[in-house]
PDB file of all heavy atoms in Angstrom:
ATOM      1  N   GLY A  92     -73.224 -48.252  49.337  1.00  0.00           N
ATOM      2  CA  GLY A  92     -72.119 -47.454  48.865  1.00  0.00           C
ATOM      3  C   GLY A  92     -70.769 -48.001  49.216  1.00  0.00           C
ATOM      4  O   GLY A  92     -70.611 -48.716  50.304  1.00  0.00           O
ATOM      5  N   ALA A  93     -69.774 -47.742  48.437  1.00  0.00           N
ATOM      6  CA  ALA A  93     -68.428 -48.237  48.705  1.00  0.00           C
ATOM      7  C   ALA A  93     -67.345 -47.351  48.183  1.00  0.00           C
ATOM      8  O   ALA A  93     -67.426 -46.746  47.133  1.00  0.00           O
ATOM      9  CB  ALA A  93     -68.318 -49.648  48.111  1.00  0.00           C
ATOM     10  N   VAL A  94     -66.198 -47.306  48.849  1.00  0.00           N
ATOM     11  CA  VAL A  94     -64.972 -46.499  48.456  1.00  0.00           C
ATOM     12  C   VAL A  94     -63.804 -47.494  48.457  1.00  0.00           C
ATOM     13  O   VAL A  94     -63.702 -48.271  49.516  1.00  0.00           O
ATOM     14  CB  VAL A  94     -64.802 -45.149  49.155  1.00  0.00           C
ATOM     15  CG1 VAL A  94     -65.998 -44.271  48.817  1.00  0.00           C
ATOM     16  CG2 VAL A  94     -64.576 -45.354  50.617  1.00  0.00           C
ATOM     17  N   ILE A  95     -62.864 -47.212  47.591  1.00  0.00           N
ATOM     18  CA  ILE A  95     -61.480 -48.038  47.710  1.00  0.00           C
ATOM     19  C   ILE A  95     -60.425 -46.917  47.888  1.00  0.00           C
ATOM     20  O   ILE A  95     -60.464 -45.910  47.175  1.00  0.00           O
ATOM     21  CB  ILE A  95     -61.334 -48.840  46.499  1.00  0.00           C
ATOM     22  CG1 ILE A  95     -62.410 -49.934  46.420  1.00  0.00           C
ATOM     23  CG2 ILE A  95     -59.917 -49.465  46.428  1.00  0.00           C
ATOM     24  CD1 ILE A  95     -62.354 -50.917  45.240  1.00  0.00           C
ATOM     25  N   VAL A  96     -59.583 -47.182  48.914  1.00  0.00           N
ATOM     26  CA  VAL A  96     -58.604 -46.287  49.243  1.00  0.00           C
ATOM     27  C   VAL A  96     -57.202 -46.926  49.188  1.00  0.00           C
ATOM     28  O   VAL A  96     -57.063 -48.102  49.697  1.00  0.00           O
ATOM     29  CB  VAL A  96     -58.787 -45.785  50.697  1.00  0.00           C
ATOM     30  CG1 VAL A  96     -57.803 -44.864  51.264  1.00  0.00           C
ATOM     31  CG2 VAL A  96     -60.305 -45.052  50.807  1.00  0.00           C
ATOM     32  N   ARG A  97     -56.154 -46.177  48.773  1.00  0.00           N
ATOM     33  CA  ARG A  97     -54.805 -46.675  48.847  1.00  0.00           C
ATOM     34  C   ARG A  97     -54.056 -45.471  49.414  1.00  0.00           C
ATOM     35  O   ARG A  97     -54.060 -44.316  48.934  1.00  0.00           O
ATOM     36  CB  ARG A  97     -54.221 -46.874  47.474  1.00  0.00           C
ATOM     37  CG  ARG A  97     -52.813 -47.370  47.574  1.00  0.00           C
ATOM     38  CD  ARG A  97     -52.277 -47.872  46.189  1.00  0.00           C
ATOM     39  NE  ARG A  97     -52.619 -46.959  45.147  1.00  0.00           N
ATOM     40  CZ  ARG A  97     -52.428 -47.345  43.853  1.00  0.00           C
ATOM     41  NH1 ARG A  97     -52.179 -48.543  43.467  1.00  0.00           N
ATOM     42  NH2 ARG A  97     -52.632 -46.451  42.975  1.00  0.00           N
ATOM     43  N   ASP A  98     -53.273 -45.737  50.427  1.00  0.00           N
ATOM     44  CA  ASP A  98     -52.338 -44.697  51.063  1.00  0.00           C
ATOM     45  C   ASP A  98     -53.101 -43.491  51.408  1.00  0.00           C
ATOM     46  O   ASP A  98     -52.633 -42.382  51.188  1.00  0.00           O
ATOM     47  CB  ASP A  98     -51.198 -44.314  50.077  1.00  0.00           C
ATOM     48  CG  ASP A  98     -50.324 -45.553  49.783  1.00  0.00           C
ATOM     49  OD1 ASP A  98     -50.153 -46.466  50.729  1.00  0.00           O
ATOM     50  OD2 ASP A  98     -49.797 -45.615  48.662  1.00  0.00           O
ATOM     51  N   GLY A  99     -54.215 -43.551  51.999  1.00  0.00           N
ATOM     52  CA  GLY A  99     -55.064 -42.528  52.465  1.00  0.00           C
ATOM     53  C   GLY A  99     -55.723 -41.712  51.392  1.00  0.00           C
ATOM     54  O   GLY A  99     -56.341 -40.723  51.717  1.00  0.00           O
ATOM     55  N   LYS A 100     -55.632 -42.132  50.124  1.00  0.00           N
ATOM     56  CA  LYS A 100     -56.273 -41.446  49.141  1.00  0.00           C
ATOM     57  C   LYS A 100     -57.396 -42.185  48.370  1.00  0.00           C
ATOM     58  O   LYS A 100     -57.268 -43.493  48.154  1.00  0.00           O
ATOM     59  CB  LYS A 100     -55.301 -40.976  48.004  1.00  0.00           C
ATOM     60  CG  LYS A 100     -54.152 -39.974  48.494  1.00  0.00           C
ATOM     61  CD  LYS A 100     -53.303 -39.595  47.561  1.00  0.00           C
ATOM     62  CE  LYS A 100     -52.292 -38.492  47.938  1.00  0.00           C
ATOM     63  NZ  LYS A 100     -51.935 -38.351  49.191  1.00  0.00           N
ATOM     64  N   LEU A 101     -58.508 -41.503  48.037  1.00  0.00           N
ATOM     65  CA  LEU A 101     -59.523 -42.153  47.265  1.00  0.00           C
ATOM     66  C   LEU A 101     -59.106 -42.621  45.869  1.00  0.00           C
ATOM     67  O   LEU A 101     -58.601 -41.896  45.174  1.00  0.00           O
ATOM     68  CB  LEU A 101     -60.796 -41.242  47.123  1.00  0.00           C
ATOM     69  CG  LEU A 101     -61.943 -41.807  46.369  1.00  0.00           C
ATOM     70  CD1 LEU A 101     -62.630 -42.874  47.339  1.00  0.00           C
ATOM     71  CD2 LEU A 101     -62.983 -40.715  46.142  1.00  0.00           C
ATOM     72  N   VAL A 102     -59.308 -43.983  45.570  1.00  0.00           N
ATOM     73  CA  VAL A 102     -58.985 -44.481  44.279  1.00  0.00           C
ATOM     74  C   VAL A 102     -60.278 -44.570  43.504  1.00  0.00           C
ATOM     75  O   VAL A 102     -60.264 -44.193  42.250  1.00  0.00           O
ATOM     76  CB  VAL A 102     -58.402 -45.912  44.475  1.00  0.00           C
ATOM     77  CG1 VAL A 102     -58.139 -46.498  43.096  1.00  0.00           C
ATOM     78  CG2 VAL A 102     -57.124 -45.762  45.057  1.00  0.00           C
ATOM     79  N   ALA A 103     -61.310 -45.047  44.030  1.00  0.00           N
ATOM     80  CA  ALA A 103     -62.576 -45.242  43.292  1.00  0.00           C
ATOM     81  C   ALA A 103     -63.786 -45.300  44.250  1.00  0.00           C
ATOM     82  O   ALA A 103     -63.579 -45.659  45.472  1.00  0.00           O
ATOM     83  CB  ALA A 103     -62.574 -46.326  42.402  1.00  0.00           C
ATOM     84  N   ALA A 104     -65.034 -45.070  43.790  1.00  0.00           N
ATOM     85  CA  ALA A 104     -66.186 -45.225  44.549  1.00  0.00           C
ATOM     86  C   ALA A 104     -67.217 -46.019  43.751  1.00  0.00           C
ATOM     87  O   ALA A 104     -67.093 -46.080  42.548  1.00  0.00           O
ATOM     88  CB  ALA A 104     -66.821 -43.782  44.801  1.00  0.00           C
ATOM     89  N   GLY A 105     -68.215 -46.503  44.360  1.00  0.00           N
ATOM     90  CA  GLY A 105     -69.378 -47.269  43.781  1.00  0.00           C
ATOM     91  C   GLY A 105     -70.532 -47.173  44.514  1.00  0.00           C
ATOM     92  O   GLY A 105     -70.483 -47.104  45.688  1.00  0.00           O
ATOM     93  N   GLN A 106     -71.630 -47.184  43.790  1.00  0.00           N
ATOM     94  CA  GLN A 106     -72.913 -47.278  44.457  1.00  0.00           C
ATOM     95  C   GLN A 106     -73.723 -48.453  43.700  1.00  0.00           C
ATOM     96  O   GLN A 106     -73.388 -48.886  42.693  1.00  0.00           O
ATOM     97  CB  GLN A 106     -73.743 -46.048  44.051  1.00  0.00           C
ATOM     98  CG  GLN A 106     -73.257 -44.814  44.818  1.00  0.00           C
ATOM     99  CD  GLN A 106     -73.889 -43.466  44.392  1.00  0.00           C
ATOM    100  OE1 GLN A 106     -73.743 -43.165  43.234  1.00  0.00           O
ATOM    101  NE2 GLN A 106     -74.493 -42.767  45.301  1.00  0.00           N
ATOM    102  N   ASN A 107     -74.693 -48.965  44.408  1.00  0.00           N
ATOM    103  CA  ASN A 107     -75.452 -50.035  43.909  1.00  0.00           C
ATOM    104  C   ASN A 107     -76.166 -49.649  42.739  1.00  0.00           C
ATOM    105  O   ASN A 107     -76.915 -48.688  42.737  1.00  0.00           O
ATOM    106  CB  ASN A 107     -76.446 -50.598  45.012  1.00  0.00           C
ATOM    107  CG  ASN A 107     -77.209 -51.840  44.684  1.00  0.00           C
ATOM    108  OD1 ASN A 107     -78.114 -51.615  43.877  1.00  0.00           O
ATOM    109  ND2 ASN A 107     -76.858 -52.921  45.001  1.00  0.00           N
ATOM    110  N   ARG A 108     -76.019 -50.354  41.553  1.00  0.00           N
ATOM    111  CA  ARG A 108     -76.632 -50.076  40.357  1.00  0.00           C
ATOM    112  C   ARG A 108     -77.399 -51.157  39.721  1.00  0.00           C
ATOM    113  O   ARG A 108     -77.736 -51.219  38.567  1.00  0.00           O
ATOM    114  CB  ARG A 108     -75.432 -49.674  39.343  1.00  0.00           C
ATOM    115  CG  ARG A 108     -74.668 -48.444  39.686  1.00  0.00           C
ATOM    116  CD  ARG A 108     -75.484 -47.181  39.727  1.00  0.00           C
ATOM    117  NE  ARG A 108     -74.596 -46.010  39.836  1.00  0.00           N
ATOM    118  CZ  ARG A 108     -74.979 -44.964  40.484  1.00  0.00           C
ATOM    119  NH1 ARG A 108     -76.137 -44.879  40.998  1.00  0.00           N
ATOM    120  NH2 ARG A 108     -74.215 -43.954  40.594  1.00  0.00           N
ATOM    121  N   VAL A 109     -77.885 -52.092  40.606  1.00  0.00           N
ATOM    122  CA  VAL A 109     -78.591 -53.268  40.230  1.00  0.00           C
ATOM    123  C   VAL A 109     -79.779 -52.935  39.420  1.00  0.00           C
ATOM    124  O   VAL A 109     -80.032 -53.382  38.294  1.00  0.00           O
ATOM    125  CB  VAL A 109     -78.915 -54.250  41.374  1.00  0.00           C
ATOM    126  CG1 VAL A 109     -79.804 -55.383  40.928  1.00  0.00           C
ATOM    127  CG2 VAL A 109     -77.576 -54.804  42.000  1.00  0.00           C
ATOM    128  N   THR A 110     -80.675 -52.129  39.896  1.00  0.00           N
ATOM    129  CA  THR A 110     -81.936 -51.821  39.327  1.00  0.00           C
ATOM    130  C   THR A 110     -81.791 -50.910  38.245  1.00  0.00           C
ATOM    131  O   THR A 110     -82.508 -50.948  37.163  1.00  0.00           O
ATOM    132  CB  THR A 110     -83.012 -51.349  40.292  1.00  0.00           C
ATOM    133  OG1 THR A 110     -82.470 -50.209  41.013  1.00  0.00           O
ATOM    134  CG2 THR A 110     -83.340 -52.446  41.390  1.00  0.00           C
ATOM    135  N   ARG A 111     -80.830 -49.871  38.330  1.00  0.00           N
ATOM    136  CA  ARG A 111     -80.594 -48.930  37.245  1.00  0.00           C
ATOM    137  C   ARG A 111     -80.136 -49.478  36.049  1.00  0.00           C
ATOM    138  O   ARG A 111     -80.515 -49.242  34.851  1.00  0.00           O
ATOM    139  CB  ARG A 111     -79.699 -47.807  37.836  1.00  0.00           C
ATOM    140  CG  ARG A 111     -79.380 -46.638  36.774  1.00  0.00           C
ATOM    141  CD  ARG A 111     -78.347 -45.765  37.073  1.00  0.00           C
ATOM    142  NE  ARG A 111     -77.077 -46.578  36.603  1.00  0.00           N
ATOM    143  CZ  ARG A 111     -75.943 -45.984  36.627  1.00  0.00           C
ATOM    144  NH1 ARG A 111     -75.708 -44.825  37.169  1.00  0.00           N
ATOM    145  NH2 ARG A 111     -74.882 -46.656  36.195  1.00  0.00           N
ATOM    146  N   ASP A 112     -79.069 -50.366  36.188  1.00  0.00           N
ATOM    147  CA  ASP A 112     -78.476 -51.077  35.131  1.00  0.00           C
ATOM    148  C   ASP A 112     -78.995 -52.409  34.714  1.00  0.00           C
ATOM    149  O   ASP A 112     -78.518 -53.002  33.764  1.00  0.00           O
ATOM    150  CB  ASP A 112     -76.918 -51.158  35.444  1.00  0.00           C
ATOM    151  CG  ASP A 112     -76.248 -49.799  35.529  1.00  0.00           C
ATOM    152  OD1 ASP A 112     -76.805 -48.765  35.222  1.00  0.00           O
ATOM    153  OD2 ASP A 112     -74.965 -49.758  35.975  1.00  0.00           O
ATOM    154  N   LEU A 113     -80.008 -52.954  35.416  1.00  0.00           N
ATOM    155  CA  LEU A 113     -80.526 -54.202  35.132  1.00  0.00           C
ATOM    156  C   LEU A 113     -79.321 -55.234  35.281  1.00  0.00           C
ATOM    157  O   LEU A 113     -79.385 -56.119  34.411  1.00  0.00           O
ATOM    158  CB  LEU A 113     -81.304 -54.314  33.918  1.00  0.00           C
ATOM    159  CG  LEU A 113     -82.474 -53.149  33.768  1.00  0.00           C
ATOM    160  CD1 LEU A 113     -83.188 -53.258  32.393  1.00  0.00           C
ATOM    161  CD2 LEU A 113     -83.488 -53.289  34.879  1.00  0.00           C
ATOM    162  N   ASP A 114     -78.542 -55.123  36.138  1.00  0.00           N
ATOM    163  CA  ASP A 114     -77.345 -56.005  36.329  1.00  0.00           C
ATOM    164  C   ASP A 114     -77.267 -56.445  37.826  1.00  0.00           C
ATOM    165  O   ASP A 114     -76.934 -55.732  38.688  1.00  0.00           O
ATOM    166  CB  ASP A 114     -76.115 -55.186  35.933  1.00  0.00           C
ATOM    167  CG  ASP A 114     -74.872 -55.978  36.122  1.00  0.00           C
ATOM    168  OD1 ASP A 114     -74.842 -57.227  36.601  1.00  0.00           O
ATOM    169  OD2 ASP A 114     -73.779 -55.478  35.723  1.00  0.00           O
TER     170      ASP A 114
END
Side-chain angles (χ1 to χ4, degrees):
V94 296
I95 295 180
V96 176
R97 177 174 52 196
D98 298 327
K100 294 187 177 21
L101 180 68
V102 175
Q106 294 172 297
N107 183 281
R108 301 293 190 212
V109 171
T110 56
R111 186 195 78 176
D112 295 351
L113 305 177
D114 178 354

